[in-house]
Every structure is written in C-alpha cells, then in structure tokens.
Amino acid sequence: MFHSILFDFMLIGALGVGSQWIGWRFRIPAIVVMSIVGLLAGPIFGFINPAEDFGELFDPIISIAVAIILFEGSLNLDFREVKGLGKPVMRIVTVGAILAWLLGSLAAHYVAGLSLAVAFVIGGLFIVTGPTVILPLLRQAKLKPRPAAILKWEGIIVDPFGALLSVFAFEIIVFIMEDNVTADALLFFFMASIFAIIIGYLLAKGLGFMFERGHVPEFLKSPVMFASVILCFTLADEIAHETGLLAVTAMGMTLANMHISSIGDMRNFKENISVLLVSTIFVMLTSSLSVDTLLQILDLNIIAYVFLMLFIVRPLSIWLSTIGTDLSVGERILVGWIAPRGIVALTVAGYFASVLADAGFEDASILTSLTFALVFATVCAHGFSIGWLAKKFHLANDEQPGVLIVGGSSFSTGLAKALRELDVPTMITDSSWQRLETARKEGVPFMREEILSEQTEYHLDMTPYEYMVAASELDSYNALVCNTFIPEIGRNNLYQLTLHNRRGDDIEDMGHTIGGRLLFNEQATWERLNEKVEIGYVFRKTNITEQYSFDQYVKELHPETLLMFVLKRSGKIAFFSHKNKPKAEAGDVVVSLMPPSKEFKKIQQKITEKREEENEN
C-alpha cells in the first residue's frame, strides 16, 4: 500500500495516543493496547511498515526517542527517594542482574537452542525492564511507595546496563573467536563506557550551572535541555555503540540530584514528551515486524524459553539477590514477578541480530522473534496481573479515592471528619501547628509540612489522594497550590474555597484559568465557613434512596444549609462548586453543612450579632 511518510507519522501518532486513551478509559495496560494496535496496523493488515517507509531514518528516530525516554525517567532518580531502600535496590541491580544474565543465557542455550555465544549476548539484553513499560504499569497499579521505588530504580538503572552487558559479551566473543582482535578492543570499550558517564555528568553540571545562573531564559530551557540530551547521546554513541544510553542516564541522575528548581518546573512538559514518544515508538516497532517473525514465535522452543524466563529465571534471581534484605515476602514475590521488557530490548535485539549474523552466527536469525515473544508475553502477563498481585499482598492503595485538604481550620477539620466517617482516606496538611490544633484535638490525620516545599514529596505519599481541597484563608495561596498540582492530580479534581473579592477586583475572572474549581457557592468564603462551624453548624450525611430522591431532599433543605459533596456508590466524590451541581442517585450519600434544627434561631441570632460587631469594628 503506497502512502506518504507524512501519512505514516499521522497514523502512528493517532494509534499511539489513541491506545493510551483506551488504556486509561477502560483501565487496561496501555502498553498491551499499543502492541495489539501495532500488530494490526503492520504485519496483519499491512497499513504501514515504518522500517521500510522511513528507510535509513528509522533507526536514528528510535534511538533518539529511547534516549529521551530514558533521560526523562532518570530525572526521577533522586537519591533521597531511595533512602532506606539502598540495600535491596543495589542488590537487585548488581547481584540480581548478573544472576538473571547467567540464568537467562543458559536457558537461551539449552531451551531456545541458541549457541552459547549468542545466548550470552542476548541474555545480557533480556535483563532490562526499562521506564517505557515499568512507569505506565506503576501509574496504573498505584503501588505503595516502597515497591514502586524499587521497580522504578531497577528499570531505569538496568536499562543501559543490560545493553552495555550485551555489547561487552559480544566484544568478548569477537575477541575469543577472531585471531586478529587484540585486548585493545576490550580496553577501548571500557574506556568508552567511562567516557560516556563523564560526558553525561559534565553536560548535566554545565546545564545546571546555566539554568541556576539565569544564562538561559525560561522559554528556552526545555529546548536547550532536550537538545543537550540528543548531543549527549550522539557523542557517546558515535564513540562506541550503545554507550549513549549510559551517558543520558548519568546526565539525568546528575540533574535529578542537583535539585534545580527549573527542572521541577518542566516536569509536566517532560512527562508529556515521554508519553508521546513511548506511544509512537512502540507502535512503530510492533508495526514493523514481519508475518514470518510472528509465525516463528509459535516455535515450541521459543514458547518454553519465555515460560522459563517468566516463572523461573526472574523470580529466582530476585529471590536470591534479596536474601538478607528487609523486603517482605510479598514485596519479593511482586518484584520477582514484574519485569516487562520493552523498547530497548526490541531495538537492541534488532541491532545484534544483524551484527551476529554478519559475524557468522546463523542462529541469530531468530533473535527478533525471540525478543518480541518475550516482550509481548511479559507486557501482557505483568500488565494484567500487577494490580491483582499488589492487592493480594497489600502493596497497593486499594482504598477508595482520598482527599488531601491543604490548610488547617475548624472547617477543614469538620470536612475531614465527615469524609473519614464515610471511610474516605483524608489528611490535612499545613505548615503551622496552631492552625492544625483542631485537627490534633479531633484525631484527624494531619501533617505539618509546607505542601509546596520540594521536601514534602519525600515525606508525604500522595498515592491515596485523588482530590485536593485548597482551604487556606489566602486566595492567592490556594490558587498557587492548585496550579502546582495540576500535573499530578488533574484540573478536574482540584478545588479551592470561594474567592473573597472584597475590593471589587476582577479576581473572579482570574479563577477561570488559574487555580482550582471554586467550591460551594459565592458566599462560602473561608471566614463564613469557619464562622458557621464555630457557632454550631454540623455536617450531616443523608442517604438517597428510591423512596427518598435527591430532588425531594433539596426541596426540604433549609435556606441556610450548604451542600458540600456527593459520595457516589462507586466511591467517587463529586463536590458542589460554582459551576458543578452534581445530582445524587439512589445509593449515593449527600453531605451538607446545616444548622441544628432545634437551635437554628439561636444560631441565626449569633450570626447576626457577630456580623454587627464586625461592622462596628
């Protein structure tokens, strides 16, 4: 089928991003959807074949994309995050990786039928998991911080290490088999690897210096950073193949531990780029496979090898390498099972299939089929099982979506208590002990931290909280908090208290584009809400049934009652806001702030007296 390269780019982008959306919408691993979509568009229906259509551009496009993805992932490797996990992580990426290499190589030789030389090359490559597949699975499964950190660190560190291990094994084989090869070739490879780390370190230091000293304007920081990543990867890779991945990993880790504010500011942009690249590259690779490669996967030796890698090699290597660490049995089982292979394995395997065939190893012809069989099997098996397994061993946050309230006050404490009585995970955070006094007295979970501080993300686990309510007395602070957490929580789940708008400024207009959704109604300011709670208003929970509808409930409400939120049967929370008036159905619970019916007149009198006193002052 003839069509332009522009059409290929359009179709690949649409299929990749569409796969991500389908994965999110139906709560299934997006990487599985991308694999299936790529196979349907490529070898099965023949709509595209990027390897042929792009020609010589195919490999550079894949290589640069993998480098950027690996760099973006390594930017998350802050050593503060691994505090307390140093021993298990170090053991897994060293002892565990070497065990996986040896056991995987022996399985490739004795089960898949590869020669010992080819088996040790490909065995090194198959230890990689990588951020392209691990990070999407972690987002989907919502693991607790400890197992999530272990899997993330392993995936990002071992990714370049596996590729280098394969290159090292190949250099050893060439050194042993060819008479005219000297030890200089091995020495060159080691020196090139060290040089790659130095390149990444120096570029990161230079970039950090320029960003911190203001030598790069804000609008150029992202372009400069990504141009530097490509420069770093290309310089190292031109000197020795596959050392470019090591260079960008060193660059990302160095930047991550320099704690530069500019890097954090670009977090949303970096993640968007990474998601787009993962989506498109995975579709490109799977759609470039041939029908013969797919048929070769059905070979019994390849199926047996994949089975061994899944159920013997990976679990055994993790179990042995973590002996003597403080990992629980559940954590060892989960980490020992979850090891999906991805883009790096597919791309580097294609390279070695070519160079090993040129070196006279005929069995290298099955490497692409073997690699794709392992990639597809691990992506499907681990993608569909990680959530179930994490819940089985209590390593996932399986509670219903929680609410994080920013700003301590009487109202915040009352709202938190109402949520907790409905079994909704809730926490109040504030930088002041004084403002947290009511929360401490009422036994509501709290944390004395500045939510905007960089240190907070290492002390506060955000995983249980899908909603955030900015409820401080300062409108500007509430807006800033909401804007800061848009990438993590999403604009639709961020709320802030009604703006004061005392001086007639156009603050209300600003709320459409800055900050979160404005809660409740125009009168529900911080002062009014706390005033109501302090003079006796209470949070009431009402069950909506078939006999007692939401419309009937609303008609019977007292004019002074303020609707707070609806807890849906699904566990989702719908807050009442200026622009959103949710409807409750049978089985839902409506929470409102209302005066005690018998004492309403007394309370109303107190409110009147208090306002008159304020006006006099």
Side-chain angles (χ1 to χ4, degrees):
M1 183 181 294
F2 177 77
H3 41 69
S4 67
I5 293 180
L6 183 61
F7 176 84
D8 280 358
F9 273 118
M10 179 278 298
L11 185 59
I12 290 168
L15 293 176
V17 176
S19 298
Q20 290 278 4
W21 183 85
I22 291 173
W24 166 80
R25 180 66 180 81
F26 296 100
R27 295 183 177 274
I28 58 177
I31 204 83
V32 175
V33 182
M34 286 185 269
S35 300
I36 295 172
V37 165
L39 292 176
L40 292 174
I44 295 178
F45 292 113
F47 293 130
I48 52 174
N49 188 339
E52 289 184 2
D53 297 339
F54 295 162
E56 294 181 356
L57 290 175
F58 182 78
D59 289 335
I61 290 173
I62 298 291
S63 297
I64 290 174
V66 171
I68 293 174
I69 293 166
L70 196 57
F71 169 76
E72 195 276 331
S74 62
L75 275 177
N76 296 315
L77 297 183
D78 192 318
F79 290 124
R80 292 176 298 184
E81 182 182 309
V82 81
K83 187 177 181 180
L85 291 175
K87 185 177 181 181
V89 169
M90 187 58 65
R91 293 276 291 275
I92 288 171
V93 301
T94 53
V95 178
I98 293 171
L99 284 173
W101 176 37
L102 295 175
L103 294 173
S105 300
L106 293 174
H109 175 62
Y110 289 107
V111 178
L114 297 176
S115 64
L116 207 55
V118 175
F120 270 92
V121 172
I122 207 66
L125 178 61
F126 285 165
I127 69 171
V128 306
T129 52
T132 59
V133 283
I134 280 292
L135 296 183
L137 289 187
L138 295 182
R139 281 195 292 267
Q140 168 211 340
K142 294 184 179 178
L143 294 183
K144 291 182 177 178
R146 187 178 162 93
I150 292 172
L151 288 170
K152 182 175 74 174
W153 275 78
E154 181 204 7
I156 295 172
I157 292 176
V158 174
D159 220 32
F161 180 55
L164 287 171
L165 198 59
S166 296
V167 175
F168 171 69
F170 176 72
E171 295 289 346
I172 291 287
I173 290 166
V174 172
F175 175 72
I176 294 173
M177 297 189 62
E178 296 190 18
D179 298 331
N180 59 343
V181 177
T182 65
D184 293 342
L186 286 177
L187 181 61
F188 172 77
F189 170 72
F190 283 117
M191 295 302 294
S193 299
I194 295 172
F195 184 65
I197 295 174
I198 294 173
I199 289 176
Y201 176 80
L202 292 178
L203 276 173
K205 284 293 185 181
L207 207 61
F209 174 82
M210 293 175 67
F211 283 5
E212 288 291 87
R213 295 299 179 91
H215 296 311
V216 179
E218 288 297 326
F219 75 95
L220 275 181
K221 284 183 177 178
S222 292
V224 167
M225 185 173 68
F226 281 104
S228 300
V229 173
I230 296 171
L231 172 66
C232 179
F233 173 78
T234 305
L235 280 177
D237 216 55
E238 286 294 310
I239 296 170
H241 197 61
E242 300 305 332
T243 59
L245 297 179
L246 185 63
V248 296
T249 303
M251 181 180 174
M253 288 182 66
T254 304
L255 282 171
N257 290 280
M258 290 175 70
H259 308 133
I260 301 170
S261 56
S262 300
I263 302 300
D265 295 340
M266 291 185 282
R267 177 173 53 185
N268 193 26
F269 174 75
K270 294 187 283 88
E271 289 179 352
N272 289 341
I273 290 292
S274 181
V275 169
L276 181 61
L277 289 175
V278 169
S279 306
T280 54
I281 298 306
F282 216 85
V283 171
M284 283 179 65
L285 288 170
T286 52
S287 60
S288 297
L289 297 172
S290 65
V291 176
D292 292 338
T293 299
L294 296 182
L295 293 176
Q296 205 170 32
I297 291 173
L298 301 177
D299 184 272
L300 289 178
N301 289 340
I302 291 180
I303 294 174
Y305 173 74
V306 170
F307 182 88
L308 275 177
M309 291 293 287
L310 279 170
F311 296 99
I312 305 296
V313 173
R314 169 68 180 186
L316 186 60
S317 62
I318 294 298
W319 195 265
L320 292 175
S321 65
T322 54
I323 291 175
T325 65
D326 61 348
L327 295 185
S328 66
V329 173
E331 287 172 331
R332 293 170 76 182
I333 291 174
L334 179 71
V335 175
W337 171 245
I338 302 300
R341 279 64 167 187
I343 290 174
V344 172
L346 278 176
T347 54
V348 181
Y351 164 73
F352 279 116
S354 175
V355 296
L356 286 169
D358 293 341
F361 295 96
E362 295 181 359
D363 53 335
S365 60
I366 71 166
L367 288 187
T368 303
S369 300
L370 188 69
T371 305
F372 183 74
L374 185 63
V375 168
F376 190 74
T378 54
V379 162
C380 290
H382 299 154
F384 284 112
S385 63
I386 185 172
W388 174 83
L389 197 62
K391 290 178 181 178
K392 178 75 174 176
F393 292 104
H394 308 291
L395 297 174
N397 289 289
D398 53 359
E399 298 175 313
Q400 65 185 73
V403 180
L404 184 66
I405 302 174
V406 180
S409 66
S410 301
F411 169 75
S412 296
T413 301
L415 178 62
K417 284 185 65 179
L419 287 162
R420 287 183 58 77
E421 287 170 3
L422 293 169
D423 297 324
V424 176
T426 311
M427 178 178 284
I428 299 176
T429 176
D430 200 306
S431 59
S432 166
W433 279 115
Q434 184 178 1
R435 289 192 291 268
L436 289 169
E437 183 179 359
T438 55
R440 300 203 311 270
K441 288 181 178 178
E442 296 292 337
V444 173
F446 67 90
M447 177 173 281
R448 184 181 173 272
E449 293 280 355
E450 170 52 62
I451 193 68
L452 297 177
S453 170
E454 185 182 357
Q455 299 292 330
T456 301
E457 64 179 295
Y458 300 104
H459 303 150
L460 175 61
D461 176 21
M462 291 290 295
T463 310
Y465 308 110
E466 283 193 18
Y467 307 91
M468 178 180 283
V469 174
S472 79
E473 58 185 315
L474 298 174
D475 295 335
S476 56
Y477 180 77
N478 292 338
L480 180 59
V481 167
C482 290
N483 265 25
T484 301
F485 283 89
I486 285 174
E488 293 183 29
I489 296 180
R491 189 178 291 276
N492 289 338
N493 291 344
L494 287 165
Y495 298 89
Q496 70 180 90
L497 296 186
T498 294
L499 303 171
H500 294 82
N501 199 16
R502 287 179 174 174
R503 300 179 181 176
D505 299 331
D506 294 330
I507 302 177
E508 189 72 31
D509 294 334
M510 183 181 70
H512 297 302
T513 55
I514 298 176
R517 295 184 175 191
L518 299 180
L519 283 169
F520 317 131
N521 61 36
E522 290 78 2
Q523 304 302 316
T525 61
W526 184 89
E527 288 84 0
R528 293 289 174 85
L529 290 170
N530 281 283
E531 178 185 79
K532 288 177 183 294
V533 173
E534 288 167 6
I535 62 175
Y537 274 60
V538 293
F539 290 86
R540 289 279 173 84
K541 297 174 284 295
T542 304
N543 294 307
I544 302 302
T545 64
E546 296 289 348
Q547 293 75 28
Y548 186 61
S549 69
F550 179 68
D551 291 335
Q552 185 178 351
Y553 167 76
V554 171
K555 287 179 182 179
E556 296 176 0
L557 284 179
H558 195 279
E560 289 290 328
T561 297
L562 194 63
L563 293 170
M564 296 275 107
F565 63 87
V566 176
L567 179 64
K568 299 288 187 180
R569 284 180 298 177
S570 63
K572 294 289 184 180
I573 299 171
F575 285 94
F576 287 88
S577 66
H578 290 204
K579 293 187 176 181
N580 183 40
K581 309 297 179 186
K583 291 279 187 179
E585 299 174 350
D588 298 344
V589 179
V590 181
V591 176
S592 56
L593 183 63
M594 61 173 63
S597 56
K598 293 181 180 180
E599 301 180 8
F600 175 69
K601 289 184 179 179
K602 293 181 181 179
I603 289 173
Q604 198 171 34
Q605 181 64 30
K606 287 182 181 180
I607 293 175
T608 304
E609 291 174 358
K610 189 170 183 178
R611 288 178 183 169
E612 288 176 354
E613 185 180 339
E614 287 178 354
N615 292 332
E616 290 176 3
N617 295 331

